[in-house]
Amino acid sequence: MPQRRPQIVLPEIFQAQSGLYLPLSVQATRPAVVPPELQPHPGLFVVGRPPSVLDQIFSYATQEELGLEGIPLDVILEALRLVPVWPALRMLCRYQRDLWPVRTDQRGQLEMLNRWYGEDTEFSKSARAFMGASASHMVFSEQQLFALQKLLILHSPEGNPDEALSPTQNQALMVALASVPGSVLGLHEAQGLEAGEPINGSTDDFWLRLFIGHGGLIGGGSDAYELARAHDLFEVIAKSEPAQQHHDAVPIDEWLKEAYGLTFLEMQAIGFALFAGSNTGVSEGNPVLINSTYFEKTALADKAQQGLDALSEHLDWYRSSFGSPGDDPRRLAFEITPFLQRPAIRDPGGSVMPIAPRALGTWLGASGTYYRLFDIARSKGSPARKQFTRFHGFLVERHGRIVVETACQAPRSTVLWVAGRVHGEVCYRASEGDRVTPDIAVDLGRDLVLIEITGSRATARSIVDADLDSIRTDIEKLLEDKIRQLGDRIEDLRSGVAVLPGVDLEFVDRIWPLMVSSEGLFQTPPLWDYLRTDALNALAQPKVQPITLLDLRDLEQIGRASCRERV
């Protein structure tokens, strides 16, 4: 079948003998064949608005933005002192659960707005207008609910756990909920600005602090990837032969049993049971408080109380852990670490209730498990802390390599597969001493992908306090040092000092550097500008393409997409 050549098809236009294209009113003829020099090369074209960091940013509404009068924090606290904490927390735990699937879904938020505040109230009408102004406008946020839960714990009387709120108390709680964005989250001090400093005049340092100091509230929270990664890291890989032979191997189950009386799998089982039994994963009805009797007919009946103790704490523990955040507006707005450490609150009778899906999911996921083990290691002294940090880095690198190897495996339905050969670290000798090539290399013939993975994480002083010095130190540790290291290794490969099996750099047209971290920093123009001032210069080498920054979830999603394409 002959190949069709591209043609220009324009209504009411023809090509004259002179070669000019003229209106049909002059003379008509056949469509013109596109000259060879104008014919497009085959390629992929995507028509649409290019992606932007703004696609990932959503705005909450303060009362002032809704055209309503703001309520000062001291007035909110005075009202909350009349609201008993237990029935109020039950209500807010349900709101956290209901909000979880619609955090960035305006339709779902509208349903919540109408259910919580009614359709005809002044607040609801103003909120609907606010959301109608932009697809990125939301009325409710997790941060808003976490802040109000914290205020209740710190300032409200305990009351009777079995009693319901009176109409007056319910009204006070709902007014407080609507007021928190402006009275707590919107304070200049909470955002790290000096009082009265105009936001439009902020420097790049401010934007770094704003987007990195997010309090752990960005991203999708825990999900299937996070839960599966926790099992792979701390149960499968940690117990594999290579891990057991690693010089920094840590006895994870032994440490957990010393601290909690449970193994990793036992803790996971009780956490999942709490998630199911408390109705955290359903959309109807109120959350259910459960106690150790819920496990009576299970294999964990004799360990249930230990598990619930590991998951939950009494009010006084949270009060002690949060301290007096009234003196620190930023911590009042952004600190949720105690909720992540103990994601269920325990009433005087011993029954427990999950605080929020994000809290319980984080506890079950890779991040929560990491921090539990890190706290245990820290309690054992500096050598144990450093040992665990190195071992965790090994686990993360091993997990990343397994993901890439799985994505590059040949499908069962074919004999020939040339997608790419995967190489781990290769030791070599350089003038500076012994070195290793990047953690993962994927040989794609004309393309070579080099992946460096880090298990390090940003510190609380960066994430919660938005401390600029800590942010700079964390960027140095998480990105800049690793990018420079990647640049050095690429230079060694290009010069022949380092060699990958079967890879001849002379025949490689493009080298693709990838940086993968356990928890990604929110990628924004200020972050990229910060990196361009120094670190990215290490990659300014022939054949080297722009670097890609990923976190483990990104890498897992890419691997999953690759596997699905081969099914």
Side-chain angles (χ1 to χ4, degrees):
M1 181 177 179
Q3 182 178 4
R4 295 185 60 186
R5 299 180 63 191
Q7 293 183 332
I8 295 177
V9 181
L10 300 174
E12 301 183 350
I13 284 185
F14 75 98
Q15 184 182 26
Q17 291 182 353
S18 63
L20 296 177
Y21 291 92
L22 302 172
L24 186 63
S25 58
V26 179
Q27 184 178 352
T29 186
R30 60 184 177 80
V33 175
V34 178
E37 64 271 16
L38 298 181
Q39 292 182 17
H41 296 289
L44 174 66
F45 295 88
V46 179
V47 180
R49 185 176 63 85
S52 164
V53 66
L54 297 178
D55 298 335
Q56 307 299 318
I57 299 175
F58 295 85
S59 305
Y60 56 73
T62 65
Q63 285 188 298
E64 291 80 3
E65 288 172 315
L66 298 180
L68 305 174
E69 184 178 353
I71 299 178
L73 178 58
D74 57 347
V75 176
I76 295 175
L77 297 181
E78 184 178 348
L80 291 180
R81 291 187 182 100
L82 303 177
V83 178
V85 67
W86 285 110
L89 279 179
R90 278 204 305 272
M91 182 178 293
L92 293 184
C93 289
R94 172 173 179 171
Y95 287 179
Q96 284 272 24
R97 183 201 67 186
D98 293 348
L99 177 64
W100 180 249
V102 297
R103 303 185 302 282
T104 58
D105 177 2
Q106 282 193 337
R107 179 176 296 182
Q109 292 228 353
L110 281 172
E111 292 177 0
M112 292 177 63
L113 175 69
N114 294 335
R115 187 166 64 248
W116 296 357
Y117 288 90
E119 296 186 24
D120 299 325
T121 62
E122 184 179 2
F123 178 78
S124 293
K125 292 176 182 178
S126 299
R128 283 195 293 271
F130 175 77
M131 283 195 284
S134 172
S136 65
H137 284 181
M138 301 294 153
V139 178
F140 306 110
S141 70
E142 290 179 275
Q143 186 182 11
Q144 173 186 6
L145 288 167
F146 276 127
L148 185 52
Q149 286 173 312
K150 192 188 312 180
L151 290 176
L152 281 166
I153 290 172
L154 292 173
H155 299 283
S156 295
E158 292 196 19
N160 188 335
D162 298 324
E163 290 183 357
L165 293 177
S166 69
T168 301
Q169 292 166 341
N170 183 75
Q171 183 180 25
L173 184 65
M174 299 310 292
V175 170
L177 177 62
S179 304
V180 161
S183 301
V184 177
L185 310 185
L187 295 174
H188 282 287
E189 292 85 351
Q191 298 295 348
L193 293 171
E194 295 181 2
E197 182 180 346
I199 291 180
N200 291 336
S202 301
T203 64
D204 285 346
D205 284 346
F206 164 71
W207 293 111
L208 276 178
R209 297 172 72 186
L210 179 67
F211 289 120
I212 293 179
H214 49 69
L217 288 160
I218 68 165
S222 64
D223 54 14
Y225 290 95
E226 176 85 1
L227 298 175
R229 189 185 317 126
H231 185 268
D232 194 43
L233 288 173
F234 302 110
E235 180 63 23
V236 178
I237 299 177
K239 295 182 179 179
S240 67
E241 184 175 349
Q244 293 298 308
Q245 294 177 351
H246 193 272
H247 57 277
D248 287 311
V250 166
I252 287 176
D253 276 346
E254 184 178 316
W255 279 15
L256 291 173
K257 289 177 73 173
E258 287 178 4
Y260 302 103
L262 301 164
T263 66
F264 169 77
L265 284 183
E266 289 169 342
M267 295 183 77
Q268 294 294 99
I270 290 177
F272 281 118
L274 177 61
F275 183 90
S278 62
N279 287 345
T280 299
V282 302
S283 58
E284 298 296 332
N286 291 319
V288 176
L289 280 74
I290 69 171
N291 56 35
S292 59
T293 61
Y294 180 76
F295 299 85
E296 283 182 346
K297 297 182 180 180
T298 72
L300 292 171
D302 60 336
K303 298 183 178 181
Q305 191 58 54
Q306 290 171 295
L308 294 180
D309 289 346
L311 277 156
S312 65
E313 270 294 354
H314 294 291
L315 284 175
D316 287 342
W317 181 87
Y318 294 99
R319 289 168 179 153
S320 174
S321 298
F322 282 120
S324 300
D327 299 330
D328 187 342
R330 179 165 184 91
R331 287 218 159 225
L332 180 60
F334 287 90
E335 174 65 292
I336 63 170
T337 302
F339 289 147
L340 304 182
Q341 292 173 321
R342 293 293 190 274
I345 195 163
R346 192 185 316 154
D347 73 9
S351 296
V352 305
M353 174 177 60
I355 293 165
R358 180 181 291 274
L360 182 53
T362 299
W363 190 92
L364 283 165
S367 295
T369 306
Y370 164 82
Y371 283 114
R372 272 194 299 284
L373 290 166
F374 182 81
D375 287 343
I376 294 171
R378 185 166 52 184
S379 70
K380 292 177 176 291
S382 179
R385 176 181 57 81
K386 294 177 180 179
Q387 176 189 358
F388 171 71
T389 300
R390 292 190 296 267
F391 185 57
H392 177 259
F394 165 79
L395 298 179
V396 170
E397 292 172 10
R398 190 81 176 179
H399 172 77
R401 180 174 174 181
I402 291 171
V403 169
V404 175
E405 287 176 339
T406 303
C408 293
Q409 279 182 354
R412 297 178 180 178
S413 58
T414 183
V415 176
L416 179 64
W417 179 248
V418 292
R421 289 175 295 170
V422 179
H423 304 279
E425 293 178 339
V426 176
C427 298
Y428 65 96
R429 185 77 176 174
S431 58
E432 297 84 355
D434 292 334
R435 284 184 167 184
V436 292
T437 59
D439 296 322
I440 304 170
V442 184
D443 176 11
L444 296 167
R446 294 289 187 180
D447 293 274
L448 178 64
V449 181
L450 299 176
I451 305 173
E452 192 67 32
I453 300 178
T454 176
S456 299
R457 297 167 182 263
T459 60
R461 286 185 58 80
S462 295
I463 299 299
V464 178
D465 298 325
D467 179 80
L468 188 56
D469 290 337
S470 295
I471 287 173
R472 289 170 173 164
T473 300
D474 284 345
I475 292 176
E476 180 86 13
K477 174 183 65 175
L478 294 174
L479 295 177
E480 292 185 304
D481 285 348
K482 287 291 186 178
I483 291 172
R484 295 188 193 99
Q485 176 181 316
L486 194 53
D488 287 343
R489 302 309 183 265
I490 291 174
E491 189 172 349
D492 287 347
L493 287 167
R494 290 180 50 250
S495 65
V497 174
V499 177
L500 291 170
V503 178
D504 189 337
L505 267 291
E506 183 179 349
F507 298 102
V508 172
D509 294 334
R510 293 165 295 273
I511 299 173
W512 300 91
L514 270 68
M515 262 296 310
V516 181
S517 58
S518 291
E519 289 182 336
L521 297 175
F522 192 28
Q523 294 189 42
T524 60
L527 176 61
W528 280 103
D529 289 342
Y530 188 90
L531 294 175
R532 287 190 186 97
T533 60
D534 181 17
L536 295 185
N537 292 333
L539 300 175
Q541 302 179 42
K543 301 184 179 182
V544 178
Q545 307 302 303
I547 191 170
T548 299
L549 303 182
L550 304 173
D551 60 20
L552 282 174
R553 189 179 191 276
D554 296 327
L555 186 67
E556 291 157 357
Q557 286 183 302
I558 293 171
R560 180 172 182 264
S562 175
C563 291
R564 291 180 64 180
E565 287 295 319
R566 294 187 283 108
V567 172

